[in-house]
Amino acid sequence: MSIERSDSAQPSVEFWFDPICPWCWMTSRWISDVAAQRGFDIVWHPVSLQIINEGNEPGEHAEGMRQGHRLGRAAVAAGRTHDATVVGRLYTELGTAIHPGGRTDFDAILADGLEAAGLDAALAAAADDEQYDAELRANTAHALDIAGPDVGVPVISVDGVAFFGPVVTPAPQGEQALQLWDGIVAAASVPGFTELKRGRTAGPQF
């Protein structure tokens, strides 16, 4: 599938994220910078690394994934009450506290994030409400379906063409962010293009 649009047309961009994932966070800051520079909106979709890793042996990240799942439920609830723009705003508040902020008091992070995003404090109850799991599971399945079964998050879709990544550290900003965006969109537009990768030598740099 090719990506075709006039220079004046804005792309349709969707982003699938787990709030607990530092790599998602850095990619989200990059694409947010690109969106601000290019003037397009992003539709934000919470997913769950806990769901992706179902059936695997619990590891050192099990508790983090559980908390990410809880925050994902709250993001689903916010999206039902408002819209995907609000989901992105809440994600920004949660991710800022968790990643550059280094906080691990997740109930307080959620309460503070809802307040900062201008949302009803009652939405915090969604974190422990299993009624939101079906939508979280559907989001996760859809992201893996459109980007491929062997990927994780983040997943980005541009005009219906989906891909995993990019994984970046630190998140590029300004002109460098635009260069990366243009290159990735160009590569994703080539039918049959599936992978370009090099070894990661640095951890998350917020």
Side-chain angles (χ1 to χ4, degrees), residues 12-17 41-45 83-85 87-88 155:
S12 174
V13 179
E14 299 177 81
F15 190 101
W16 285 262
F17 67 93
D41 295 324
I42 303 168
V43 179
W44 301 91
H45 304 285
D83 57 30
T85 301
V87 173
V155 167

Side-chain angles (χ1 to χ4, degrees), residues 1 15 23-24 51 54 59 78 84-85 96 106 109 117 137 144 154 168 171 173 190 193 195-196 204:
M1 179 185 300
F15 190 101
W23 303 106
C24 271
I51 290 172
E54 282 177 339
T85 301
T96 299
F106 291 100
I109 287 170
R137 188 172 293 277
L144 298 183
V168 290
Q173 302 290 299
V190 176
F193 178 83
E195 187 171 356
L196 178 66

Side-chain angles (χ1 to χ4, degrees), residues 59-137:
E60 62 178 318
H61 300 298
E63 176 59 17
M65 288 190 291
R66 186 181 77 85
Q67 295 294 348
H69 187 94
R70 295 180 68 238
L71 297 176
R73 287 171 173 165
V76 167
R80 287 186 185 179
T81 307
H82 296 83
D83 57 30
T85 301
V86 166
V87 173
R89 194 161 73 236
L90 178 60
Y91 176 37
T92 292
E93 298 299 336
L94 299 176
T96 299
I98 295 167
H99 301 299
R103 290 175 57 183
T104 57
D105 50 336
F106 291 100
D107 288 340
I109 287 170
L110 178 54
D112 292 347
L114 290 169
E115 181 179 6
L119 297 170
D120 188 342
L123 286 171
D128 298 308
D129 191 336
E130 294 182 357
Q131 70 166 296
Y132 300 104
D133 284 355
E135 186 169 339
L136 199 54
R137 188 172 293 277

